[in-house]
Each structure stands twice: as structure tokens, then as C-alpha cells.
Amino acid sequence: MANDTVLQPIAFCLASDNAAVRERLASHPFWVLEFPEDLKRRLREVQSQIVGRAPEESTPPHVVLNQAARLLIPDLISITSRITDSGVQPWLYGFVDQERPAEPPIEGVLLQALLSAWLRTVFRSLFPSPALMDLLQKVQTLPLGWKREEIDLCYWSQAPNGTARPYRQVDQRCIQNGFVLMPDLVATRLSALELAGDHTRRFRFKRAPLAPGRHGCELISWPPQQESKGSQTWYWSIVITVTLQTVPFQSYPQLHINLGVRRWVSQPLKYTPAETISAYLLDSLPWLAADQQRQCFQVAPIVRRNRKAGETPENGNGWIVEYRWADSLVALLNDLHWAELLPDPQQLIQQPTEWLERALTGRSPQAALVFRTGMRPDHGEGAGFSLSDRRFMVEQIAELLAPDFVLRSPLERYGARRFITHPSNPFFPQEKQDREPMAQMKVCAERRQAVAEALGDGQAMTILVRYQTAEVLQAVRLALYEVLGYPLETAEGTVWTTPELTLTVRYEPLGEIGRALGIKERSRGQAAEHWRLKIQERAEAIAQTLPEAAGPCGAIIELPDAYFFRHDGDPKAALRLGFARKGYLTQFLTPPTSDREEETSKETLQERARSAVRDLLRQCGVLGVPPRLLPKARVHKLPFQIPEPLHYLAAWVIHRNRRGSETHLPQYLPVVVYLRSDSRLVLVRAPGFEDWLPYREAALQLACLEQASQRDREAVRQFLFKTLHTLLPTRGETILFCDACNLRQSWPWLGNERITASLPPELERFPQLRIVRVRSASPEVPEWYAFNAKRQALGKDPYLLSQGLFRDATNPTVFYSVQEKPPTAHQSKYSSKLSLRPFEKLATGRSAHQPFDAPGGMAWNPRIVELTIARQGHEQRPDDVLMCAVVAHELRAQMAVQFGSPMILPLPLHLARQLEEYTLPLRPAELRTWLTSEAEAAERSGEEGEDEGEE
């Protein structure tokens, strides 16, 4: 029955073979409005006089204007970014209402009011009053007339590799971009969707933009749904994301429909780990009639600022958390209002439900704060939709989009596990008999052997436990016994010797080094520097108290989470740096908390302690099993040959922006990880390393790189090619893994329109090399559900979650990997956030296979990972292409030491990505020194540029 299962991506294709559809969409009408070039010129002239630049180098701020236009102008489809740049046109694309085909979305006089409000709000503090008054007068005389145009939405060209290009340049000023227009057009149609069925809730949708720089749009169900438990009420909505995507070598684009749950802050907010909070605003123009309103959401960021409550001894230790709007959008909207204004951010934070409840009565304006994981208090609604919910929504969306769009053809499964297997991971026994006492002793010995192989011959390991509570110390000691067999009765500091490994465990209180950093409020320009100074001071103090590590050493540190240190500074980065300087790897363990989920935290403490031990071993470079695939015992002939040994390389760019870095410095650093199938050894190479280093030493070396590296894409590419040109001549059959989203900006060949099924010119002289390009980011890869025809023939539910390696028969070098659900995902595929059927009524009868109401559940759906294979002579060796896909798929399985469930990335890429946690630079970037004249060993492709319309 396995190969009767097909994978149905939630991706739609234009029904271009339908003559009526092609005729209708080949000349689709739009309203088009240009931004007056005369106003652009005058804005740049005034700004250039103020900032001292040439007019052509000035870019007047325009983002808030586009946000307000999206929020307020009805029937608007698309907005062009960077509209204040010279020659960029048109500005707005509007929908043609078939009932009123001669009426544009909004009259010119109302556009003049919008432009005037934009000038008053944004430029009041930038321009002198006379210049601003002159601009306001000019706006009143501007010709703001809509023009009706027809655009061919069925048009797309093909890149040289055969991949669809859904955009074209009409002239020097205008690019018709299907990546922008098609999703907006579909979203406009979906905004009329009423999602409803028998025994389900009812949902209507409003449009919302995606984050800046992303193509596509969102639809959010509104008004929000309410879920009550006791005295608490939580609000949530469905979010539908629509994007146009391409697939390598596929001649047509496809629309990806991603379905998710948007949870709203439903109680007064006490804490958020992020510096910004997204506020969704819904407003209307007061002078438009009700039947003309086409409300769309807009997003306004709110920023958080902590400051001392006062300087007196009585209240000097208190803190005040302040919130304010991060841009001028709300000020612009309030400028247009005659009556009620949008809320102050502080009011919205303290009374979120008051503004959510406005949606239930239709009162305007409305506002909602997006809930993010880590906020306090927690949310009672689970994230994600079950299989039954997902399929129900897809069926209704497909009906609404027909006949113009149809679901793309399903993917066929290749049953690789009929032929191959890999050794069992001793860190996660699968069989019950492996958990019996005698078997457990054997398993612990296998784990110690894995640790010894990672550390090297004759190496002893020391684990230091720095605790704050006896409860956590006991949990870690028990975890060391459960994972490695370290005796519970062993005295502190005893050297425990086994045939496989020599291990010493020491326990010490964490002490003063675990207290908050004592961050004091500084101006915006000084805050990051002050934070780094405090980290440096604490790291130096830690290093002075620690003895130099003698051999492989790791520390498990009990430390409260970021919420505990929300005012005075989390010392985690300082602890990691200080310990690393003396040769200690670090793994942190959060104690049970008294103010949040106390019972749950206590129940999971032992499992978290085991995870902390395993993750510390991962940092030491320990692998659960060698990354080797074996033929099954009864298989006499494989459909492909797996070389032995098989060498693995993974290229990864550590890319952390200022907000994502604990030291508030951006980092852009390439690393290459090397493994081989007959060994547990993991090696790493990075700029500044004299040679390949074991994984453990590489992490410590990265922590010692105090200077941040510049964002230099050409240098990254040259480092990668230099490393490959040096290593490959000395290695046999090799697979190089690259993540498209991570590396394609530095190596443009990895983009959809440039990748080839053969090796790139820089590497084609290495016939033993294969490249597997991995793509896993949403929404670039679609969501999915599986369908089994044999189950349907037997009268069973044919829709299910599945796992395996899938492919499109028409695209022989692109595969799709789906792994099984993790053991902790127990939710039924029939649990539903949409259904109104109570669970109690489903105990008997045929209705037992119907969706039932389970709003608080957390749904989990395995992600598709797209694998594109490149090798020389791929046409003559389809079996070798298949081998690469099978290996990449299996390297996502349970091979890691710290995960008992599949990984998103293949093992080599996963290990490379995990090194990011040790990049903690304390000095800003200077002129790069690691790019030397030796880089000529890497042949340059001569191709520069960004991605071609990809997310």
C-alpha cells in the first residue's frame, strides 16, 4: 500500500490549457496610478538641500505612505515600493469592479488628502515650514488620475535552465511582476471567501501585507474567534499566505497557499522577549460610503523601552516599560480622522481585549497585537491546523479559485526504505527491550563509545555542573546516569574509568557570575556598546575564576530564562564567552519557575536535563551513529550504488543581524563542515582557522573571534571555492550540501533561475562531486497532505499524513523529502479548530472519523524539504541522482545525538547551523583580513546579484 500514497502539495497552477481562462487573463483589466514625477523631483530637491546630497542620491521616506494607501484605499491590488525614486512607476494597481467598471478605486481629491496627511506627518520635522507649505500647495494641483490598462497574467518567460520567470520589463520605468500581481489578484478573490461548512465555524477574511521585502500577501479571518477556559478568553484568527513561487527546471510558476493560526494578545501584556510587537490595524476613510469600504489590515510596529522608575533610593530599583509607535503610520491615520483616534501603544498593551472586541461590533478603528512565543502571560490556543482542517480549507479555496487555477499534480513516492537502513541511534532506543536494565547498560556503553570516538584516542572528558538549586543538581546527576551510566553514588570529582571512556563530573554552585549584568539605561546610540562592555567585563571575571581546561571539558549551567533578566541584562552570552576562553563548552538548563507554568516545568525538568546532557555532547561533536546507509539484509541488489566511504560537506553562512545577536553586532561568516560515512569524526573549517578543526575545538575558536565580520558576499564565495579546491583533490566520492535560503545571496548559482543539473563551471573539474541544494523555508516550499487510493477503494479515509521521498516524474533531478512525525506528536488528525462537533459524541458509530472540536490542541505537520541534485553526467546516471536524494533524505533521520526525531536539515547542514550559538563578537567589523591572494584558486563565475524574485 505504501506506493499507492501520493503527496498533494497545496500549490495551484494557472489553468493555461483552458482557452477561456487564457483569454480572460491574457488581457486582465487593472486601474493604474502613477506617482507624480514633479512631486518626486521637488521632494528630492528639498531633502538634498537639508542633508547635503545630490538630488539623485536622496530618497524621501515613502513606506508610511504605502502602508496608509494599503489600509485605506478600497480595491487596491498592489503597491510599488521605492516609489519616490526617479522613474519608478506605476505606483498603485487597482481592482476593476465589474459592477462599476468605470469607477476607479478612489477619487483624486481623496488621494490629495492622503498625500497631504503624509507630508504633514512625515516631513513636518524634516523640512522647513516654507518648503513644507509649498509642497502642500503643490499637492492640491497635482493631476492624480487613474488609467485603465490590461496586463497579461498568463505571461512568463523561461530562464536559460528552463525555470519559469513570471516577470518582464515593459520599458525602462515599468516591470510587470507576476510575483507581485498574481498573489494580490488571488488574495482579492479570496477576500470574498466565506469559509463554512456543516458543523463548522464561519470565517470571513480581510487582506494584510507581508513583511517588507517579501512578495505576496496575507488574508486574516476577521472578526477573531474566541476560546474561553474558565475566566480566561483567548482570541485567534486563520491566516492564509499567498505567494507565487518557482521550482527549478519547472517551466511554469505555482501559487503556494500556506495556512496558519494567528494568535492575538488577549490579556494585558506583562513581557515580550522581542524589541518590537506587531500591531494589526483596521481603519476606514471617514468620507467613504460604507459600500465603498474595502478594509485591509496594515501593520504598525510597537517598540519597547525599559527605563528606571526614578533616581531616588526609595524607587531607584523599580523599572518602567514604555511602548511607542516605531513609525509615523498611526500619526498619519490620526491626521485623517475627524472623530475617534487609534489607541496609544501603552493603552493597547494594557487593554488589548477592548480593541479586539470592537471587531465583534464592527466599530472602527480596530487594533490587535500579534502574540509570539515567549510572551507573558501565555496563550491558551494551540498553534497549527490538523490534517482535517487543512484539507477542508484547501477544498473550499480550490472551489473559489476554479476554473482559473487548479491544484498542481501530486508527487509520487519512491519507497527508499524498502532497500536501505541505517544503524540504530543508541541515544534514542526504538525497541522496548532496549530499555530493560541489562540492555540499558549495553546502550550506555555504546553511547560512551560514541563520545570517545568524537573526542579522539585517549581523551578523557570533564563535565562541570554549575547549579543554583539542589533540584536541578539532582536532575543533572540522574541524567548523567541515564545517558552515560555515570553512577549516582560516585563522589564529586571522582575520575570514573570505563573501557570506553574516562569521565569526571564536578559540581559547584554558580555563584555571583550568574547574576544579572547590571545593564543601565543608555541613549539609543550607546545602549549596544554599553551592553557589550558589560558582557566583556563579566566574561573576563569568569575567565579569571576558572582553571584552564585540561582536555575536553563542558559545563552544564543552571540559569533562569530571559524573562528573569528582562530589566538588568541576561548574562548567558557572558557566561558562554567566559567559559569558552578557558576551553569549556556550555549548555544551559532553565530551572522550574514559580511564576509561569510551574507544574509543567517541574514535570519536564528530568527530560530537559537529559536533553541538556545530550546537547552538550553534540557540541563536543558526538554523533549518534556514523552517517552511513546500509542495504537491508534481504535486498540482493540495490537500484543505486552508495559509495563507501562517502564524504559529506556542508556549506553554511552564519548570518546574524544586530537584533538577532546577543552582542548586538551583525555577523556574516562562512563555515564548512566535513564528515565521512565510515567515521563519527566531525571537522570544521572557517575563516581564521589555520586548518580543519574538530567540531568541539571549532566552536571554542568561533567564540574567541571577537571581531564581527563584514557582509561580503564575494569573499564568502571565494572562501567556499578555495576550501573546495583544496579539499576535493584528496577526497573520493563527495556530496556537498547547501541551503538555498542561507547561501544563494553569496553564491547566486543556487538561485532557481541559475542552478543547473550539472556542476557549476567553477567545480566541473571534480567529477566525484555531487551538490544537493536544500530548500525548506516557508512559503518557498508548499504545505501538503497525502492521499491513498487503495484506502479509498476499501472505504477508508484516504487522506493521511505520510513520510518518504517523493518526486515529480517530469522533473528528474528535484525530489521532496518528508520525515515522520516526532514521537511527541500524538494529536489525532481529526482534532479540529474549525469543527463545532463535541468530542463526546464521537465515541461510537461512523461519525468517529469526523473532525471534532479541539481548539486548544497544538497541531504538527511535517515539512517538505526540497532537494535539487547537481552532478556531471546526470542524464547518464539517474541512479546516482536518486542515490544523492536518498542519502539526503536519510540524513534527516534520527542520527543526531540530541534529537530523537527527524531534523529539518540533513545532518551535515544541521551541525553547521548549530555553530551559530558560539559567534559572539564584541568588536565591530573592520577591514576583512581573512580574504587573501590565495583566493585565485577559486575560479570566479563572474555572476553578481541578488535572488531572482525569490523569497
Side-chain angles (χ1 to χ4, degrees):
M1 186 179 292
N3 283 345
D4 294 313
T5 300
V6 296
L7 198 74
Q8 178 58 66
I10 305 178
F12 291 82
C13 301
L14 192 65
S16 54
D17 55 347
N18 186 318
V21 170
R22 173 168 285 280
E23 181 179 357
R24 182 170 62 256
L25 296 182
S27 56
H28 198 280
F30 289 89
W31 287 110
V32 175
L33 180 74
E34 294 193 352
F35 195 99
E37 289 291 335
D38 191 37
L39 179 58
K40 292 186 192 181
R41 179 186 56 78
R42 182 60 184 147
L43 282 169
R44 290 196 303 273
E45 287 176 352
V46 176
Q47 186 172 8
S48 66
Q49 294 171 5
I50 296 172
V51 300
R53 295 179 183 172
E56 58 271 14
E57 297 177 356
S58 300
T59 304
H62 64 279
V63 173
V64 168
L65 173 63
N66 282 353
Q67 289 176 327
R70 168 67 76 191
L71 184 65
L72 299 175
I73 299 177
D75 296 328
L76 201 59
I77 291 178
S78 182
I79 304 174
T80 302
S81 61
R82 299 190 65 86
I83 193 57
T84 53
D85 288 1
S86 177
V88 176
Q89 297 289 359
W91 175 29
L92 305 177
Y93 286 93
F95 180 74
V96 175
D97 191 335
Q98 297 302 319
E99 297 181 1
R100 295 178 289 192
E103 294 184 15
I106 194 172
E107 297 296 331
V109 65
L110 301 182
L111 280 169
Q112 290 173 347
L114 178 60
L115 288 171
S116 297
W118 169 57
L119 291 173
R120 287 192 299 268
T121 304
V122 176
F123 296 94
R124 188 189 304 274
S125 60
L126 301 178
F127 288 2
S129 296
L132 181 59
M133 292 301 300
D134 177 65
L135 288 167
L136 288 170
Q137 292 176 4
K138 181 177 284 293
V139 165
Q140 303 307 314
T141 62
L142 288 175
L144 294 171
W146 295 85
K147 295 187 297 183
R148 180 165 164 155
E149 292 186 0
E150 293 182 345
I151 298 175
D152 185 359
L153 292 177
C154 296
Y155 173 86
W156 56 78
S157 61
Q158 292 183 18
N161 66 353
T163 303
R165 271 181 175 164
Y167 57 89
R168 64 174 173 180
Q169 186 166 336
V170 178
D171 53 43
Q172 292 185 347
R173 298 195 310 159
C174 176
I175 293 179
Q176 290 183 358
N177 195 338
F179 282 111
V180 175
L181 293 177
M182 188 72 78
D184 276 294
L185 180 67
V186 170
T188 301
R189 185 180 299 186
L190 289 179
S191 61
L193 172 68
E194 182 175 7
L195 197 64
D198 296 337
H199 308 290
T200 67
R201 307 167 193 257
R202 308 183 77 85
F203 300 87
R204 297 297 300 267
F205 292 86
K206 294 185 180 295
R207 293 174 56 195
L210 289 177
R214 294 180 59 191
H215 297 311
C217 54
E218 286 183 347
L219 295 112
I220 295 174
S221 65
W222 204 254
Q225 297 294 310
Q226 295 175 282
E227 297 294 343
S228 298
K229 185 177 181 180
S231 61
Q232 302 294 337
T233 300
W234 293 282
Y235 293 84
W236 62 275
S237 297
I238 299 173
V239 57
I240 303 175
T241 305
V242 184
T243 59
L244 191 68
Q245 304 290 342
T246 61
V247 177
F249 321 126
Q250 182 175 288
S251 61
Y252 54 89
Q254 55 190 38
L255 279 164
H256 288 183
I257 307 293
N258 293 73
L259 306 168
V261 176
R262 176 68 43 82
R263 297 180 291 177
W264 307 109
V265 173
S266 305
Q267 301 176 54
L269 189 62
K270 297 180 180 179
Y271 169 73
T272 174
E275 294 182 4
T276 60
I277 307 170
S278 296
Y280 275 66
L281 308 177
L282 200 61
D283 202 2
S284 57
L285 285 172
W287 50 76
L288 282 181
D291 63 341
Q292 290 182 283
Q293 302 284 1
R294 302 287 192 276
Q295 288 178 309
C296 296
F297 279 103
Q298 191 48 261
V299 184
I302 296 175
V303 294
R304 182 195 68 201
R305 180 176 179 269
N306 297 337
R307 69 174 178 85
K308 285 284 188 181
E311 299 298 330
T312 64
E314 290 77 15
N315 60 5
N317 291 327
W319 285 85
I320 295 178
V321 182
E322 296 180 331
Y323 296 91
R324 59 180 177 81
W325 298 112
D327 59 26
S328 305
L329 174 61
V330 173
L332 188 155
L333 298 174
N334 286 337
D335 185 278
L336 290 169
H337 265 279
W338 299 331
E340 190 167 8
L341 304 180
L342 283 158
D344 176 81
Q346 204 74 24
Q347 179 190 4
L348 188 55
I349 293 290
Q350 295 171 355
Q351 300 174 330
T353 55
E354 177 182 330
W355 293 87
L356 283 166
E357 289 170 355
R358 286 169 168 254
L360 305 179
T361 60
R363 185 179 171 189
S364 185
Q366 300 164 23
L369 297 174
V370 176
F371 177 86
R372 301 294 186 197
T373 302
M375 286 182 170
R376 308 285 177 87
D378 207 347
H379 205 284
E381 179 65 27
F385 285 113
S386 66
L387 171 65
S388 61
D389 284 346
R390 196 174 302 276
R391 182 175 60 84
F392 170 76
M393 289 187 281
V394 170
E395 288 175 349
Q396 298 221 359
I397 291 171
E399 183 177 345
L400 184 67
L401 296 182
D404 297 346
F405 298 90
V406 295
L407 278 169
R408 65 148 293 162
S409 57
L411 305 170
E412 303 171 355
R413 179 171 20 203
Y414 178 78
R417 290 188 180 171
R418 293 175 296 167
F419 307 107
I420 56 111
T421 184
H422 50 74
S424 174
N425 187 342
F427 287 89
F428 297 96
Q430 300 297 313
E431 304 297 333
K432 289 185 178 180
Q433 57 266 31
D434 290 341
R435 301 168 194 171
E436 298 298 325
M438 292 301 297
Q440 186 68 19
M441 293 176 59
K442 180 181 177 182
V443 169
C444 286
E446 292 177 4
R447 295 169 182 167
R448 294 193 296 269
Q449 183 62 39
V451 176
E453 291 182 19
L455 300 182
D457 293 337
Q459 292 275 24
M461 184 175 186
T462 300
I463 296 178
L464 176 62
V465 182
R466 300 297 295 265
Y467 64 93
Q468 299 192 63
T469 63
E471 187 177 13
V472 167
L473 174 60
Q474 182 61 27
V476 174
R477 293 186 63 184
L478 181 57
L480 288 168
Y481 167 73
E482 293 173 331
V483 175
L484 296 175
Y486 188 81
L488 287 172
E489 65 276 7
T490 303
E492 192 271 338
T494 300
V495 178
W496 183 57
T497 302
T498 69
E500 306 83 22
L501 178 69
T502 298
L503 177 63
T504 303
V505 180
R506 301 202 313 267
Y507 320 122
E508 297 179 24
L510 182 59
E512 286 297 303
I513 62 174
R515 72 186 191 312
L517 292 177
I519 300 295
K520 298 185 182 299
E521 190 63 28
R522 290 288 189 275
S523 65
R524 187 171 184 178
Q526 298 175 329
E529 184 177 350
H530 177 64
W531 187 278
R532 288 192 293 274
L533 177 62
K534 288 294 185 179
I535 290 176
Q536 174 75 343
E537 291 175 352
R538 179 65 58 82
E540 291 176 353
I542 293 169
Q544 289 174 3
T545 64
L546 284 175
E548 195 74 34
C553 292
I556 297 177
I557 301 175
E558 178 186 356
L559 192 72
D561 60 13
Y563 177 70
F564 183 86
F565 299 105
R566 60 191 179 278
H567 296 313
D568 293 338
D570 190 344
K572 184 175 181 179
L575 287 164
R576 174 152 280 162
L577 280 174
F579 275 80
R581 290 175 182 178
K582 287 302 183 78
Y584 294 81
L585 298 167
T586 44
Q587 176 61 36
F588 296 92
L589 177 61
T590 304
T593 57
S594 59
D595 59 340
R596 179 176 179 260
E597 301 177 349
E598 179 179 8
E599 292 304 319
T600 302
S601 184
K602 287 182 178 179
E603 291 172 3
T604 62
L605 175 60
Q606 194 55 49
E607 176 55 39
R608 291 188 292 110
R610 287 191 293 269
S611 296
V613 172
R614 290 193 294 257
D615 206 22
L616 181 64
L617 297 179
R618 188 269 308 165
Q619 295 178 38
C620 293
V622 179
L623 299 181
V625 293
R628 183 183 184 188
L629 304 186
L630 304 170
K632 286 191 172 179
R634 297 182 181 180
V635 175
H636 301 291
K637 184 178 179 180
L638 286 173
F640 47 80
Q641 182 179 0
I642 302 178
E644 185 61 33
L646 185 56
H647 303 265
Y648 306 117
L649 290 168
W652 186 266
V653 175
I654 296 173
H655 184 195
R656 309 183 79 182
N657 58 27
R658 294 180 187 276
R659 288 186 177 179
S661 169
E662 291 90 338
T663 59
H664 302 281
L665 283 176
Q667 183 75 308
Y668 200 76
L669 185 74
V671 295
V672 179
V673 168
Y674 169 75
L675 300 87
R676 53 185 289 164
S677 61
D678 59 351
S679 171
R680 279 192 170 102
L681 182 63
V682 184
L683 298 176
V684 180
R685 188 73 186 263
F689 291 12
E690 294 182 1
D691 202 349
W692 291 89
L693 295 178
Y695 193 83
R696 173 183 61 86
E697 296 178 22
L700 296 172
Q701 185 78 5
L702 288 174
C704 294
L705 296 178
E706 291 194 357
Q707 179 182 319
S709 60
Q710 296 172 328
R711 181 169 179 164
D712 188 336
R713 295 169 181 169
E714 177 61 21
V716 168
R717 187 167 60 150
Q718 290 190 28
F719 167 78
L720 174 59
F721 289 156
K722 177 191 172 190
T723 302
L724 294 175
H725 279 252
T726 303
L727 180 70
L728 288 175
T730 65
R731 295 297 184 270
E733 305 299 317
T734 303
I735 297 179
L736 169 64
F737 294 94
C738 302
D739 184 279
C741 299
N742 173 260
L743 194 56
R744 65 186 170 212
Q745 291 188 353
S746 297
W747 190 7
W749 178 82
L750 293 170
N752 280 1
E753 296 183 15
R754 300 191 187 185
I755 194 170
T756 55
S758 57
L759 294 177
E762 302 92 339
L763 301 172
E764 60 187 8
R765 65 187 176 96
F766 300 108
Q768 79 274 29
L769 178 65
R770 297 93 162 162
I771 298 177
V772 176
R773 191 201 76 162
V774 177
R775 207 163 51 138
S776 60
S778 176
E780 291 193 33
V781 294
E783 295 179 352
W784 61 277
Y785 56 86
F787 178 84
N788 187 286
K790 185 170 288 188
R791 288 178 61 89
Q792 186 179 44
L794 295 174
K796 299 180 180 179
D797 183 1
Y799 299 99
L800 66 156
L801 292 176
S802 185
Q803 60 84 25
L805 187 65
F806 296 81
R807 59 182 175 181
D808 182 348
T810 65
N811 202 346
T813 59
V814 179
F815 296 79
Y816 301 87
S817 168
V818 179
Q819 287 286 358
E820 61 265 25
K821 294 196 301 182
T824 55
H826 299 303
Q827 188 185 33
S828 166
K829 69 177 182 179
Y830 298 110
S831 63
S832 172
K833 288 181 170 60
L834 312 183
S835 175
L836 294 174
R837 289 188 180 95
F839 177 75
E840 290 75 14
K841 293 185 179 180
L842 305 179
T844 60
R846 297 180 59 187
S847 61
H849 295 297
Q850 297 291 333
F852 60 86
D853 184 20
M858 184 80 70
W860 193 91
N861 296 277
R863 185 184 302 184
I864 285 181
V865 174
E866 181 190 274
L867 308 170
T868 303
I869 316 299
R871 61 150 291 153
Q872 295 300 89
H874 61 91
E875 301 94 340
Q876 293 77 34
R877 292 295 308 276
D879 61 318
D880 197 71
V881 172
L882 177 60
M883 181 275 295
C884 293
V886 170
V887 168
H889 173 70
E890 293 299 329
L891 286 179
R892 295 184 56 215
Q894 296 94 330
M895 290 188 177
V897 69
Q898 83 278 24
F899 283 144
S901 55
M903 300 168 290
I904 294 175
L905 298 174
L907 179 63
L909 276 174
H910 170 80
L911 292 173
R913 183 178 186 177
Q914 294 298 109
L915 289 169
E916 292 184 356
E917 62 192 353
Y918 276 89
T919 54
L920 299 165
L922 292 173
R923 291 192 293 120
E926 299 173 4
L927 184 64
R928 187 180 303 276
T929 58
W930 52 265
L931 182 60
T932 68
S933 59
E934 297 177 357
E936 67 259 19
E939 301 171 11
R940 300 192 181 189
S941 66
E943 296 177 343
E944 291 288 341
E946 301 284 345
D947 309 329
E948 315 83 29
E950 298 177 307
E951 294 293 307

